[in-house]
Amino acid sequence: MASSALSRIANLQKHFNPNSKGERGVKISSEVAEALALGKAVVALESTIISHGMPYPQNLETAKEVEAIVRQNGAIPATIAILDGMPCVGLSLEELERLAILGRKARKTARRDIAHVVATGGNGATTVSATMFFAAKVGIAIFVTGGIGGVHRHGESTLDISSDLTELGRTPVAVVSAGVKSILDIPRTLEYLETQGVCVAAYQTNEFPAFFTEKSGCTAPSRVDSPEDCARLIDSSINLGLMTGILIALPIPREHSASGNIIESAIQKALKEAREQNVTGSAETPFLLARVSELTGGTSLASNIALVKNNARLGAQIAVSLCQLRDHSCKGT
């Protein structure tokens, strides 16, 4: 059995080690490669929240704390980024710190941007869509983020729709998030996800959460009530060969939920300022989140950190449950 496991590790290294023959692929940390080869629980984490979500050193401390929560709940964290043109799955502490110091100098990288960042030897912080792409490429089934992108307000006329949604429609990775960022048009986002064939399930609630707040006013299409429920849902999707993502929407902890009226007022002001300053495209979401944080006296940033940690906890528990469901001998890490 040990020799078989070593063989699987060798195969992973053969295909994804950048020093192997053939075109450059994906660099997987030895810890993540071993966990994948042995069928252990692994959770993918994005890097845009590190580079674009908050200032240094708070971003580094948050990244380390999120990885620690994943470990405490039995899984191996695999933060994903592109460094010097090399896609990396699983970052060392030094690499995490480098990315945190780079901050916004690292390119915010969605699926569209991957080839260019790699070709130019650049540094890229992966968004939801790019993180899902690399997670699926190396066989990671669970990905944790804060909140996904969606249809922007007035998107019916601007056609500003996040690539996160189309990625969910074509990449078989389960995403644990606090729903859709409340700066977006949540009803239209849910409609778009339905069109893409994405299963959307709220966790222990019938209402779809709205990132900073527990309630959005939208009914969730499905509901799950435990990590085991989530694991069975993911396992069924894999076995059926649906080849689409799953969105598991976990409400922010009640004690960190900001007042909906305060947040909504800040969002409306931030949206107005974004239009006046002609902030559009990939720059809009970071601008809006930063402005909302300023307008709420930092309350929204503290809530953001709290919900990411909460999502990491559930994501790791789901990964362990899925591991145990697919291999009854799996004991976690």
Side-chain angles (χ1 to χ4, degrees):
M1 183 174 180
S3 61
S4 175
L6 290 173
S7 175
R8 282 182 286 175
I9 294 172
N11 284 334
L12 273 171
Q13 292 174 334
K14 176 182 177 182
H15 288 292
F16 298 115
N17 191 318
N19 296 319
S20 64
K21 294 181 180 180
E23 62 184 13
R24 294 196 303 176
V26 176
K27 174 187 171 186
I28 307 179
S29 73
S30 57
E31 180 185 36
V32 173
E34 181 179 7
L36 290 171
L38 296 176
K40 292 185 177 181
V42 180
V43 173
L45 301 168
E46 64 158 294
S47 48
T48 295
I49 191 171
I50 301 172
S51 62
H52 290 67
M54 57 195 75
Y56 179 83
Q58 188 177 26
N59 55 356
L60 177 61
E61 291 307 311
T62 300
K64 289 160 60 176
E65 288 167 2
V66 169
E67 287 202 349
I69 288 170
V70 171
R71 293 184 190 281
Q72 290 162 9
N73 284 273
I76 298 296
T79 300
I80 296 176
I82 301 174
L83 296 173
D84 298 322
M86 177 57 64
C88 301
V89 178
L91 301 184
S92 66
L93 179 57
E94 292 75 19
E95 289 169 330
L96 273 179
E97 184 166 19
R98 179 186 172 193
L99 189 63
I101 292 172
L102 276 172
R104 292 178 182 271
K105 292 179 182 177
R107 180 170 175 178
K108 184 180 178 183
T109 306
R111 173 191 269 260
R112 174 198 67 179
D113 311 302
I114 292 171
H116 188 261
V117 175
V118 170
T120 57
N123 297 306
T126 54
T127 65
V128 169
S129 64
T131 306
M132 286 184 70
F133 171 79
F134 287 119
K137 186 175 178 68
V138 303
I140 300 175
I142 313 290
F143 161 44
V144 165
T145 185
I148 66 165
V151 179
H152 282 251
R153 300 192 186 199
H154 311 295
E156 68 277 13
S157 56
T158 65
L159 295 183
D160 192 350
I161 300 170
S162 172
S163 63
D164 297 355
L165 304 187
T166 49
E167 199 67 39
L168 276 160
R170 64 182 169 188
T171 303
V173 171
V175 179
V176 180
S177 83
V180 175
K181 295 183 178 77
S182 49
I183 56 176
L184 304 171
D185 187 327
I186 295 175
R188 283 192 172 91
T189 297
L190 290 172
E191 289 287 350
Y192 196 91
L193 286 169
E194 179 186 2
T195 301
Q196 292 292 314
V198 177
C199 176
V200 177
Y203 191 79
Q204 295 182 348
T205 180
N206 294 317
E207 185 165 348
F208 189 77
F211 195 65
F212 289 124
T213 58
E214 299 168 88
K215 299 180 183 297
S216 66
C218 300
T219 301
S222 306
R223 172 175 173 150
V224 284
D225 288 297
S226 67
E228 292 76 19
D229 281 353
C230 298
R232 284 190 289 270
L233 174 62
I234 296 164
D235 188 55
S236 294
S237 182
I238 293 171
N239 290 338
L240 289 165
L242 291 174
M243 300 306 291
T244 53
I246 294 171
L247 178 60
I248 297 170
L250 173 64
I252 184 173
R254 184 163 297 173
E255 64 271 23
H256 294 287
S257 180
S259 166
N261 291 333
I262 295 173
I263 291 289
E264 183 60 30
S265 175
I267 288 172
Q268 291 300 329
K269 184 173 177 59
L271 285 166
K272 182 174 181 292
E273 292 176 0
R275 288 194 297 271
E276 290 172 349
Q277 297 176 37
N278 197 31
V279 179
T280 59
S282 62
E284 185 175 22
T285 295
F287 172 86
L288 292 173
L289 289 175
R291 192 69 184 105
V292 169
S293 178
E294 292 171 5
L295 292 169
T296 59
T299 299
S300 64
L301 178 58
S303 297
N304 194 349
I305 294 171
L307 66 84
V308 170
K309 292 179 179 179
N310 194 45
N311 295 347
R313 188 173 298 106
L314 177 61
Q317 292 168 357
I318 294 170
V320 170
S321 294
L322 180 63
C323 172
Q324 294 171 339
L325 181 65
R326 298 181 72 87
D327 180 1
H328 292 296
S329 66
C330 174
K331 304 294 184 184
T333 58

